[in-house]
């Protein structure tokens, strides 16, 4: 079936089992965890490792299934009467942001994504803008995840705090660059790869990277193939 945005509103741990779904939304994220329990800290002294086992947003890709998620995004929508324009009225100089959901598959809180017992399930994400996004931490524990996106394939958004962790699974990312830019994986904090197979191709026309993390990249295991026009320092 084809559905509009799936919103999970209760501030509780939520498990979403993908069992052969086809979800499409052309005006917003196709899947959004809006208000669920947050297990992590937003402190800027956060470490490069984080335990997301108690995260409120949990996605399971059921074994033997193919799941297709096609989504768009919501650009900046401001609080009423909060916008102050620049001197010539050409840009927003100050405002209170109300909404901005960049990813086709999106969580405002930390999120876990995993496969079933044998990890044979497939999740295909096609995104107008960014693909798989969280506002804090993201941990991938398994499954076969294929992302085709107009901007960043994966993005975790909290500056100097977010941790993107890949423990297992097969992850294929292609940034097509319709927005003119895009990293394969972009963490505004840390990127830690402990296992799995990761292939990430950035936008070929911009100065972006296959894997990019503001606070640092650490590869402890797995196989990583990344292409782009910028390369960050990697600790192995």
């Amino acid at each position: 079936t084809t559905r509009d945005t799936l919103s999970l509103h209760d501030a509780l741990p939520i498990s979403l089992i993908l069992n052969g779904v086809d979800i499409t939304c052309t005006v917003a994220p196709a899947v959004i965890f809006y208000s669920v329990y947050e297990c992590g800290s937003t402190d800027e002294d956060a470490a490069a490792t984080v335990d997301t086992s108690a995260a409120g947003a949990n996605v399971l890709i059921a074994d033997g299934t193919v799941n297709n998620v096609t989504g768009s995004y919501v650009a900046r929508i401001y609080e009423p009467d909060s916008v102050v324009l620049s001197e010539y009225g050409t840009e927003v100089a100050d405002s209170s942001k109300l909404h901005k959901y960049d990813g086709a598959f999106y969580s405002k809180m930390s999120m876990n994504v995993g496969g079933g017992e044998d990890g044979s399930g497939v999740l295909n994400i096609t995104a107008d803008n960014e693909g798989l996004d969280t506002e804090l931490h993201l941990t991938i524990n398994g499954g076969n995840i294929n992302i085709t996106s107009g901007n960043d394939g994966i993005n975790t958004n909290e500056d100097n705090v977010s941790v993107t962790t890949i423990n297992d699974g097969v992850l294929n990312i292609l940034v097509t660059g319709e927005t003119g830019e895009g990293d394969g994986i972009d963490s505004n904090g840390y990127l830690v790869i402990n296992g799995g197979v990761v292939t990430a191709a950035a936008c070929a026309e911009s100065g972006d990277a296959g894997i990019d993390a503001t606070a640092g990249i650490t590869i402890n295991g797995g196989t990583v193939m990344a292409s782009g026009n910028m390369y960050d320092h990697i600790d192995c």
Side-chain angles (χ1 to χ4, degrees):
T1 59
T2 299
R3 300 183 58 184
D4 288 335
T5 301
L6 176 61
S7 300
L8 307 175
H9 292 288
D10 295 332
L12 297 167
I14 299 292
S15 293
L16 174 64
I17 300 173
L18 302 178
N19 188 15
V21 302
D22 184 3
I23 304 173
T24 297
C25 184
T26 60
V27 296
V31 175
I32 181 169
F33 291 86
Y34 184 78
S35 179
V36 294
Y37 176 74
E38 178 51 64
C39 65
S41 169
T42 58
D43 294 339
E44 287 203 5
D45 60 355
T49 58
V50 63
D51 180 6
T52 61
S53 59
N58 299 279
V59 178
L60 176 66
I61 308 168
D63 283 338
T65 67
V66 176
N67 304 274
N68 301 305
V69 173
T70 302
S72 190
Y73 63 103
V74 176
R76 289 179 178 86
I77 299 175
Y78 299 106
E79 292 277 8
D81 304 320
S82 74
V83 175
V84 177
L85 295 179
S86 62
E87 180 180 357
Y88 298 103
T90 56
E91 60 184 20
V92 176
D94 190 25
S95 67
S96 296
K97 185 175 68 176
L98 180 60
H99 297 298
K100 182 176 181 285
Y101 310 133
D102 288 333
F105 201 121
Y106 184 90
S107 178
K108 291 187 69 175
M109 314 295 174
S110 293
M111 177 166 56
N112 296 311
V113 180
E117 187 173 334
D118 61 26
S120 61
V122 176
L123 170 59
N124 299 315
I125 298 174
T126 303
D128 289 343
N129 191 44
E130 296 178 351
L132 181 62
D133 271 33
T134 77
E135 287 300 310
L136 198 52
H137 306 304
L138 171 67
T139 301
I140 297 176
N141 292 311
N144 298 278
I145 303 171
N146 304 306
I147 300 173
T148 303
S149 60
N151 203 305
D152 299 334
I154 289 177
N155 194 2
T156 48
N157 294 311
E158 188 69 21
D159 290 347
N160 301 312
V161 177
S162 288
V163 181
T164 300
T165 306
I166 301 171
N167 292 320
D168 202 355
V170 178
L171 183 61
N172 297 300
I173 298 172
L174 174 62
V175 178
T176 56
E178 275 87 353
T179 63
E181 60 182 349
D183 297 304
I185 300 174
D186 181 7
S187 174
N188 287 8
Y190 302 90
L191 172 61
V192 180
I193 300 174
N194 297 314
V197 178
V198 177
T199 303
C203 173
E205 306 301 324
S206 62
D208 291 295
I211 54 175
D212 175 37
T214 303
I217 300 170
T218 302
I219 299 176
N220 297 313
T223 300
V224 180
M225 293 167 283
S227 63
N229 294 312
M230 180 183 73
Y231 295 93
D232 288 358
H233 175 76
I234 299 173
D235 295 318
C236 296

